[in-house]
Amino acid sequence: MRIVSRITSLLKRSTRRADDAAIVVDGARKRSGGSTRSRMAITFALFMGVYAVIGGRIVYLGIEDLPAGGPPPSRVTANRPDIVDRNGLVLATDIKSASLFAEPRRIVDPNEAIEKLRTVLPDLDYNQTYQRLSTDAGFVWLRRQLSPRQQADIMALGIPGVGFRTEKKRFYPGGATASHVLGLVNVDNRGTAGMEKYIDDQGLADLQASGLAIAGDLAPVKLSIDLRVQHIVHDELVQAMEKYQAIAAGAVVLNAKTGEVVAMASLPDYDPNNPFNALEKDRLNRMSAGVFEMGSTFKGFTTAMALDSGLVKLSDRFDATAPIRIGGHTIRDFHGKGRVLTVPEVFIYSSNIGTARMVDVLGIEGHRNYLKRLGLLDRMTTELPEVARPTEPAVWKKINSITISFGHGVATTPLQTAVAAAAVLNGGRLINPTFLPRTEEQAMGSALQVLNPSTSDAMRYLFRYNAEAGSGRRADVPGYFVGGKTGTAEKVVNGRYVSGIRFNAFIAGFPLNDPEYIVLTIVDEPKPEKPGVGATAGLNAAPMAGNIVRRSASLLGVKPDFSHESEALLAAYQ
């Protein structure tokens, strides 16, 4: 109203001025008798001047009375480098997207605007949006990162006071295939998890803050991941979840000579292009951010440390005829043989009793020192931010040492279990895992010799023997000289181990005459595949590992070998 009244007053004053000017002009005409053309020119000039003043004043008053604020200048969110796999295939890249904003002062009817917008964005919160549009603010966001179809549909609505700003959106061509490795970015294109966060922590965030993160200057970040193998691993996990009706599954393919993670997945996962469920509890990365009792896979470490100590030889025998009773607990075998067992028999029959007697030779402190040397008691060092710390007893007693020898009492991440297994099979060298490309020479520069090479030779024999005659038979793949160890662990529910609720794992290595890769699979609470069969690791986790080897070995450059090297290795230790 104030603007209207001021304009009306100004018009009245201007009209009076025009009348006075006309009188002056008329008097001049009578006195001077000037020409008609002169009179018209003077009159036109006066009216133009008057209305120019009026127009300028209106513009000034309009600007003066409008509230401060307005849409910000067109802004593109922070640039990020592409992420590619080891072969250059794109895993993550930036694309342009439109974000919807409104200028509330220009919205005539908020209710009508919201009703129209909800025909395209049905999940738009009515009350929240109404509050935003009912203010005098110059600018409010309504929805970030729209699809092209949504943008086109909203434009077609023709709502005054609504517009779009161009931003950058992170796009993951593979969807959920490598979600736990790649991680996430937030709405401002900043890394919040996985390798995306690692990249920011290496200096990208500082470049973005200083305005120096120019898209054309950001070289792609190459990972050690092989997208082809990653797809195979993810696919096998999806099938296993359905086949065994499990609540979760996971797997990793690790280069035993360089420590490179070639593939890693954990299910349930999420689609980083639409991560609405990424923070749900059951979608954590179990391979590096979850700790579990790994069951009988630990018998491989117990056997390796016993042999490495020199106190136990492959030809030694341990009495497994009767259960062990200690501290109110009874140690039994799942499928006991009820007799004295050799070290290879303890391994392939997965004897709890035989393993317990073997670790007793080492002693409590010696046992713990070996596990620490293998990296199983410390938080793993790698680029991925989501890494959990293992758990162990505050005080190790004899009962703790016995149960830990066969995988109960210490909880580790599956990834660091695979890393320790690589050390057992690759000649005794512990190599920190990496998600970035690394040569064997670079790996050897930081590797730790944690076992004698002769111990590793003996363990390769035991792993292969178990794949031929023990619980790892379902993981064997002809021509690829696979060896492995099962782990079937009862889960703790309300502080007690519950029979029938299992966390299963399998460690595989291939080709065992010269180990190049470790495959570790896990399956959480699997059910029997069909009535009348069990649900132990040999029946689910082992076939999963075998399938991954079968489908990926040729892609990894491992050629099948049908010679008699396997028999030669076994004969050397028999």
Side-chain angles (χ1 to χ4, degrees):
M1 292 299 293
R2 187 160 65 95
I3 295 175
V4 174
S5 63
R6 294 181 68 175
I7 292 175
T8 302
S9 175
L10 185 59
L11 288 172
K12 289 180 179 179
R13 291 200 305 269
S14 300
T15 303
R16 287 197 299 269
R17 291 173 183 172
D19 292 341
D20 293 342
I23 293 172
V24 171
V25 170
D26 187 60
R29 181 193 61 188
K30 291 178 179 180
R31 289 191 301 269
S32 62
S35 67
T36 301
R37 182 178 299 177
S38 298
R39 291 196 302 271
M40 291 180 64
I42 294 171
T43 303
F44 180 77
L46 287 172
F47 274 97
M48 287 296 293
V50 168
Y51 283 106
V53 171
I54 294 172
R57 188 63 176 171
I58 290 173
V59 171
Y60 170 77
L61 293 174
I63 296 174
E64 180 184 53
D65 287 342
L66 286 177
S74 184
R75 179 180 65 88
V76 178
T77 45
N79 292 299
R80 301 189 65 79
D82 286 353
I83 300 178
V84 299
D85 83 334
R86 64 188 306 113
N87 300 309
L89 297 177
V90 176
L91 301 173
T93 189
D94 280 350
I95 60 174
K96 290 183 179 180
S97 68
S99 290
L100 178 67
F101 72 87
E103 298 175 83
R105 65 166 180 255
R106 299 180 60 188
I107 301 292
V108 178
D109 186 345
N111 288 300
E112 181 184 6
I114 296 170
E115 289 297 336
K116 288 184 176 181
L117 288 173
R118 292 185 71 179
T119 62
V120 180
L121 305 173
D123 60 335
L124 191 68
D125 186 276
Y126 190 96
N127 292 331
Q128 184 184 71
T129 306
Y130 183 84
Q131 291 176 359
R132 290 180 177 179
L133 297 184
S134 301
T135 68
D136 291 329
F139 177 90
V140 293
W141 284 117
L142 295 182
R143 178 63 60 85
R144 308 286 289 273
Q145 298 181 345
L146 300 172
S147 69
R149 177 63 180 272
Q150 289 173 325
Q151 181 186 13
D153 289 346
I154 293 173
M155 289 179 67
L157 296 174
I159 305 173
V162 169
F164 303 93
R165 283 289 179 268
T166 299
E167 296 191 287
K168 287 287 181 64
K169 179 180 180 180
R170 202 63 164 164
F171 177 62
Y172 302 88
T177 304
S179 57
H180 283 303
V181 173
L182 296 173
L184 291 167
V185 297
N186 61 17
V187 72
D188 292 315
N189 223 23
R190 304 294 176 88
T192 60
M195 292 303 290
E196 294 279 26
K197 185 176 188 305
Y198 168 78
I199 292 169
D200 278 29
D201 293 343
Q202 299 310 297
L204 178 63
D206 294 335
L207 287 176
Q208 291 170 339
S210 63
L212 297 177
I214 308 303
D217 298 335
L218 298 176
V221 176
K222 181 178 286 190
L223 302 187
S224 59
I225 297 295
D226 187 318
L227 184 56
R228 302 167 303 173
V229 181
Q230 181 72 29
H231 169 75
I232 290 170
V233 168
H234 190 271
D235 182 59
E236 286 296 331
L237 296 184
V238 170
Q239 294 185 49
M241 289 272 289
E242 180 180 355
K243 187 175 185 179
Y244 306 119
Q245 302 174 52
I247 66 170
V252 60
V253 178
L254 180 75
N255 188 313
K257 295 183 177 182
T258 66
E260 294 171 296
V261 177
V262 178
M264 189 177 80
S266 172
L267 266 61
D269 53 11
Y270 57 88
D271 184 351
N273 294 310
N274 183 28
F276 67 95
N277 56 356
L279 297 181
E280 292 179 1
K281 183 179 179 181
D282 67 332
R283 297 180 189 276
L284 86 159
N285 181 3
R286 286 170 169 80
M287 299 306 293
S288 66
V291 292
F292 307 93
E293 293 185 345
M294 297 299 293
S296 294
T297 59
F298 259 50
K299 291 173 182 172
F301 306 131
T302 303
T303 304
M305 63 183 72
L307 295 173
D308 199 67
S309 70
L311 301 174
V312 174
K313 301 185 297 294
L314 279 177
S315 58
D316 286 348
R317 304 163 70 87
F318 293 92
D319 186 2
T321 56
I324 297 174
R325 292 178 175 83
I326 179 172
H329 300 274
T330 301
I331 310 301
R332 295 185 174 89
D333 284 342
F334 185 63
H335 290 300
K337 299 300 178 181
R339 61 179 175 82
V340 174
L341 302 174
T342 63
V343 169
E345 287 177 328
V346 169
F347 192 81
I348 67 169
Y349 298 141
S350 201
S351 171
N352 294 339
I353 299 170
T355 304
R357 296 196 184 282
M358 192 185 304
V359 82
D360 194 36
V361 175
L362 283 173
I364 298 172
E365 196 61 32
H367 183 197
R368 185 181 183 280
N369 287 341
Y370 262 103
L371 288 182
K372 193 169 182 66
R373 186 189 302 180
L374 287 169
L376 291 166
L377 301 182
D378 297 313
R379 186 176 184 272
M380 181 176 55
T381 300
T382 189
E383 298 86 8
L384 208 64
E386 296 81 23
V387 175
R389 183 178 297 278
T391 63
E392 61 173 310
V395 178
W396 282 49
K397 299 179 181 179
K398 187 170 183 177
I399 182 62
N400 301 119
S401 181
I402 286 176
T403 60
I404 290 168
S405 73
F406 50 80
H408 288 286
V410 162
T412 63
T413 70
L415 177 57
Q416 72 186 123
T417 305
V419 171
V424 168
L425 298 177
N426 70 5
R429 298 180 295 272
L430 183 67
I431 306 170
N432 283 334
T434 181
F435 290 84
L436 302 174
R438 179 198 284 164
T439 65
E440 188 172 347
E441 291 73 21
Q442 291 170 332
M444 290 303 102
S446 60
L448 298 176
Q449 192 73 38
V450 294
L451 295 172
N452 292 313
S454 59
T455 301
S456 187
D457 292 341
M459 292 308 301
R460 291 202 295 271
Y461 154 69
L462 291 176
F463 268 65
R464 179 58 187 164
Y465 187 26
N466 191 47
E468 292 194 340
S471 59
R473 291 189 298 273
R474 289 178 175 82
D476 195 16
V477 181
Y480 289 106
F481 204 15
V482 180
K485 182 69 187 79
T486 53
T488 304
E490 292 179 344
K491 292 183 67 174
V492 176
V493 179
N494 296 325
R496 301 187 65 179
Y497 289 103
V498 179
S499 177
I501 301 180
R502 303 181 176 93
F503 181 88
N504 293 352
F506 188 82
I507 298 173
F510 75 101
L512 279 189
N513 56 321
D514 184 18
E516 292 188 51
Y517 294 97
I518 301 295
V519 177
L520 185 144
T521 56
I522 61 171
V523 55
D524 198 352
E525 297 188 20
K527 310 300 186 295
E529 184 178 353
K530 55 186 177 180
V533 302
T536 58
L539 297 170
N540 40 59
M544 289 165 59
N547 290 340
I548 291 172
V549 173
R550 183 178 297 105
R551 296 176 62 183
S552 65
S554 60
L555 298 175
L556 293 171
V558 180
K559 297 180 180 179
D561 182 358
F562 297 97
S563 67
H564 299 288
E565 289 190 50
S566 174
E567 290 78 0
L569 178 65
L570 294 178
Y573 285 94
Q574 290 175 338

